[in-house]
C-alpha cells in the first residue's frame, strides 16, 4: 500500500547559492506549494492543486498562508555536552573553557549522564526546528555513542565525533595521540555511514592537541577520507597568540593543521574570524568549509566574521549555534545574530540568504547537500514548518508585511520555538517537547 503524505502551503525553494546567483534568483517562495513525501523521502514538489489531484490517496496536511514550509535547520557546529552550561557569565574563550566547559565535560564521564544530556539536547534543538547537527562530543567514546543512539531513536541525521585532547586540559579530559586514533577509528568502523550517521574526526583545537595527536588524526583522516574533520580556527586573538607560542615554526594558525594533513575539502573550521590572507587563500584552494557561529562570537566576545568577504571567495560557509559558547539553541536566533554581525560590518544579509545559510548552506558545508538542506525530489524529508505569526508582536508585523520576505524577517529577528509549527523527520511528524 502506498503511504504518501502531501504537505501543502507556502514552500521555500532553492535554485542555487544566493552568494553566486543573487538571492532573488536563488531563493523563492511557492505560495501554493506542495511537498509529496513517500518512504521518508521527498518524492515530488510543485503546485498544491496539481499534486493533490495526482495523489488523491495521500494523507493531506495543509498549512495556511502565514506559514512557510522550509528545509529542516542544519546546525553545523555545536557542543552537545555543553547543554547544561549554556549562558554562563562573563568569561572570554580560554577562561570560559577552563571554568565552565571542562568541569561540565568531565561530568559526561558518566555514561548515564551523557545519554541524558544527548537526549535533552536533541529534544531542545528539535523543538527549535533543527533536524541535523554536527556536534563535538567529549573525549569519552561513550559520549559519541550516546549522541548517535539518541539521534537514531528519533531517526535524525547526525554528524559527530569524539573530541580529542592530549594537552592543556584537566587529566580527566585527556586522551593520547594513540588512544585518540584508536578510539576515533573504532567509532568510525562502528558508526560512520550506518543509518543516518556521519563521523567527523574531531581534534578540539591546536592548544589542546599535541603535534603527535594532530599527526595521528591526520593519518586517520587519510585512511578514512570520506569522513569530515572538524576543529576550531582563529576564534580569539588570545588563542591565536597562544598557538603562535605553542607552534613557533608554523606560518599561521591554519598551518598547524595543514602541517599534519588536517586540511582538505571535507575540513570544517569553526569561527575563523581573525584570518591571515594566506589562510584565506589556502582555504579557498582546498575547498574547506568555514562555520559561522554568530551568537557565540558576540557572547564570548570573539569578533565579527567576514561573511561577505569569504563568500565572495566562494568559500562554503555553514551557520551554527556553537552551543554552549553560543547563547541559544535556536537557528532563528542564530540567523538574527548573523544579520546583526552583517550590519556591524556594513553588509547585512537578506532573510532569504539567512534561511539558505541555515539549511542548504550548512548542509553543503557538511557535504550532505545531496541528502538534506533543500526541498527537492530525492532528498530526505526533513522539514521545518514556520508559523510567521507566532506571537502578537510578530503577528502585527506580519500583518503589515508587503511580502513573504518581510514577514519571514520578523520571525527571524523576533521568533523562538513558538514559531516552529511542525518538524518532519524522514517524513514523520516529530513530537516536539
Ligand atoms: N575552542 C576550543 N573549544 C571550544 C569550545 O568548546 N567552544 C568554543 N566556542 N570554542 C572552542
Ligand atoms: Zn566550538
Amino acid at each position: 500500500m502506498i503511504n504518501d503524505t502531501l504537505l501543502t502551503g507556502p514552500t521555500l525553494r532553492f535554485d542555487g547559492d544566493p552568494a553566486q546567483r543573487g538571492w532573488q534568483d536563488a531563493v523563492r517562495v511557492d505560495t501554493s506549494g506542495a511537498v509529496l513525501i513517500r518512504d521518508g523521502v521527498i518524492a515530488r514538489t510543485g503546485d498544491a492543486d496539481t499534486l493533490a489531484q495526482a495523489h488523491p490517496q495521500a494523507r493531506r496536511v495543509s498549512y495556511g498562508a502565514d506559514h512557510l514550509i522550509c528545509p529542516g535547520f542544519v546546525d553545523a557546529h555545536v557542543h552537545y555536552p555543553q547543554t547544561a552550561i549554556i549562558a554562563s557569565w562573563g568569561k572570554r574563550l580560554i577562561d570560559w573553557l577552563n571554568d565552565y566547559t571542562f568541569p561540565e565535560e568531565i561530568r559526561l564521564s558518566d555514561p548515564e549522564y551523557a545519554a541524558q544530556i544527548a537526549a535533552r539536547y536533541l529534544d531542545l534543538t528539535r523543538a527549535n526546528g533543527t533536524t541535523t547537527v554536527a556536534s563535538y562530543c567529549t573525549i569519552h567514546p561513550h559520549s559519541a555513542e550516546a549522541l548517535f543512539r539518541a539521534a537514531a531513536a528519533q531517526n535524525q541525521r547526525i554528524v559527530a565525533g569524539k573530541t580529542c585532547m592530549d594537552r592543556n586540559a584537566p587529566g580527566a579530559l585527556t586522551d593520547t595521540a594513540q588512544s585518540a586514533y584508536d578510539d576515533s577509528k573504532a567509532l568510525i568502523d562502528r558508526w560512520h555511514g550506518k543509518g543516518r550517521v556521519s563521523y567527523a574526526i574531531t581534534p578540539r583545537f591546536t592548544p589542546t592537541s599535541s603535534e603527535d595527536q594532530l599527526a595521528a588524526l591526520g593519518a586517520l583522516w587519510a585512511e578514512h577520507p570520506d569522513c569530515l574533520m572538524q576543529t576550531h580556527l582563529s576564534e580569539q586573538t588570545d588563542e591565536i597568540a597562544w598557538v603562535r607560542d605553542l607552534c613557533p615554526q608554523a606560518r599561521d594558525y591554519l598551518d598547524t593543521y595543514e602541517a599534519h594533513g588536517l586540511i582538505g575539502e571535507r575540513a570544517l573550521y569553526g569561527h575563523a574570524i581573525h584570518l591571515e590572507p594566506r589562510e584565506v587563500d589556502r582555504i579557498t584552494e582546498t575547498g574547506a568549509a568555514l562555520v559561522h557561529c554568530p551568537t557565540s562570537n558576540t557572547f564570548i566576545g570573539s569578533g565579527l566574521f567576514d561573511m561577505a568577504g569569504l563568500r565572495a571567495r566562494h568559500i562554503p560557509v555553514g551557520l551554527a549555534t556553537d552551543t554552549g559558547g553560543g547563547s541559544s539553541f535556536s537557528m532563528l536566533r542564530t540567523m538574527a545574530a548573523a544579520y546583526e554581525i552583517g550590519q556591524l560590518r556594513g553588509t547585512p544579509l537578506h532573510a532569504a540568504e539567512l534561511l539558505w545559510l541555515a539549511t542548504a548552506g550548512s548542509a553543503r558545508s557538511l557535504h550532505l547537500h545531496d541528502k538534506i538542506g533543500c526541498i527537492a525530489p530525492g532528498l530526505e524529508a526533513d522539514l521545518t514548518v514556520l508559523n510567521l505569526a507566532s506571537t502578537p508582536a510578530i503577528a502585527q508585523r506580519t500583518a503589515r508585511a508587503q511580502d513573504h520576505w518581510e514577514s519571514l524577517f520578523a520571525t527571524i529577528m523576533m521568533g523562538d520555538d513558538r514559531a516552529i509549527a511542525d518538524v518532519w523527520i524522514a517524513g514523520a511528524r516529530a513530537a516536539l517537547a
Side-chain angles (χ1 to χ4, degrees):
M1 195 189 89
I2 295 177
N3 200 359
D4 289 349
T5 304
L6 184 67
L7 311 187
T8 60
T11 304
L12 197 69
R13 198 177 81 211
F14 296 147
D15 292 324
D17 179 340
Q20 281 158 39
R21 299 198 57 189
W23 68 263
Q24 293 90 339
D25 288 335
V27 188
R28 291 169 207 275
V29 175
D30 292 335
T31 40
S32 352
V35 184
L36 183 77
I37 300 171
R38 180 175 295 166
D39 299 330
V41 172
I42 297 168
R44 290 184 70 182
T45 61
D47 172 69
D49 290 341
T50 313
L51 290 199
Q53 266 176 20
H55 301 277
Q57 290 101 339
R59 179 172 67 116
R60 176 114 176 228
V61 181
S62 302
Y63 296 104
D66 54 1
H67 285 66
L68 184 63
I69 304 172
C70 304
F73 299 150
V74 180
D75 189 342
H77 178 127
V78 314
H79 300 256
Y80 94 80
Q82 299 168 13
T83 296
I85 55 111
I86 193 168
S88 292
W89 186 84
K91 309 277 180 183
R92 291 175 66 88
L93 178 61
I94 306 305
D95 290 339
W96 176 84
L97 283 171
N98 285 320
D99 294 355
Y100 296 127
T101 306
F102 291 160
E104 179 63 14
E105 292 193 10
I106 290 171
R107 294 190 68 194
L108 275 83
S109 56
D110 172 1
E112 264 180 45
Y113 185 64
Q116 185 190 325
I117 292 293
R120 183 193 303 174
Y121 171 77
L122 289 180
D123 286 349
L124 288 166
T125 47
R126 219 172 27 254
N128 278 287
T130 299
T131 48
T132 288
V133 302
S135 187
Y136 290 61
C137 301
T138 62
I139 66 138
H140 317 98
H142 67 242
S143 72
E145 304 253 355
L147 187 63
F148 291 144
R149 282 210 192 89
Q154 304 292 335
N155 202 14
Q156 278 186 245
R157 184 162 279 289
I158 187 92
V159 179
K162 171 202 124 66
T163 295
C164 302
M165 299 199 275
D166 67 345
R167 64 173 172 181
N168 296 317
L173 274 190
T174 49
D175 49 17
T176 65
Q178 188 64 48
S179 74
Y181 174 95
D182 292 342
D183 289 345
S184 302
K185 185 171 175 43
L187 286 164
I188 292 169
D189 291 344
R190 180 132 187 227
W191 292 96
H192 181 60
K194 312 276 164 63
R196 303 191 81 194
V197 172
S198 304
Y199 196 84
I201 296 167
T202 308
R204 183 178 214 121
F205 66 157
T206 296
T208 53
S209 284
S210 68
E211 305 233 357
D212 281 354
Q213 181 166 86
L214 294 173
L217 295 174
L220 180 64
W221 195 23
E223 292 158 24
H224 298 277
D226 58 329
C227 287
L228 295 158
M229 189 289 299
Q230 58 179 354
T231 190
H232 296 86
L233 178 69
S234 297
E235 180 177 1
Q236 288 208 341
T237 49
D238 290 358
E239 170 207 11
I240 297 168
W242 191 15
V243 169
R244 203 175 294 124
D245 284 350
L246 288 167
C247 307
Q249 76 293 352
R251 289 170 288 183
D252 45 45
Y253 195 158
L254 183 66
D255 199 28
T256 66
Y257 297 128
E258 199 174 343
H260 300 293
L262 294 171
I263 193 167
E265 257 217 326
R266 286 178 179 264
L268 284 163
Y269 301 109
H271 304 290
I273 297 168
H274 309 283
L275 296 177
E276 300 292 335
R278 190 202 80 87
E279 295 179 300
V280 177
D281 289 345
R282 282 302 287 148
I283 289 162
T284 308
E285 283 159 20
T286 55
L290 303 180
V291 187
H292 178 33
C293 307
T295 71
S296 170
N297 298 162
T298 52
F299 183 76
I300 314 188
S302 302
L304 307 178
F305 182 79
D306 181 15
M307 178 69 81
L310 295 162
R311 295 267 287 143
R313 300 285 301 265
H314 293 191
I315 294 173
V317 176
L319 189 66
T321 59
D322 189 33
T323 302
S327 52
S328 173
F329 295 102
S330 165
M331 288 298 281
L332 291 172
R333 173 75 194 96
T334 303
M335 289 180 242
Y339 174 77
E340 289 161 352
I341 288 180
Q343 280 287 56
L344 287 168
R345 295 197 68 115
T347 50
L349 289 155
H350 190 268
E353 294 173 284
L354 292 165
L355 209 63
W356 187 90
L357 282 167
T359 54
S362 282
R364 162 73 188 79
S365 74
L366 300 174
H367 291 259
L368 291 174
H369 48 292
D370 59 340
K371 298 188 168 59
I372 56 170
C374 192
I375 302 178
L379 270 71
E380 296 164 0
D382 288 354
L383 303 166
T384 287
V385 183
L386 295 177
N387 173 359
L388 301 181
S390 61
T391 68
I394 297 173
Q396 61 90 39
R397 181 63 185 88
T398 282
R400 177 63 67 85
Q402 308 282 333
D403 58 25
H404 261 98
W405 300 124
E406 269 190 38
S407 51
L408 174 61
F409 188 59
T411 285
I412 287 174
M413 295 311 298
M414 297 195 286
D416 54 28
D417 53 352
R418 290 169 289 180
I420 308 303
D422 264 330
V423 173
W424 296 81
I425 293 179
R429 200 193 317 230
L432 300 183

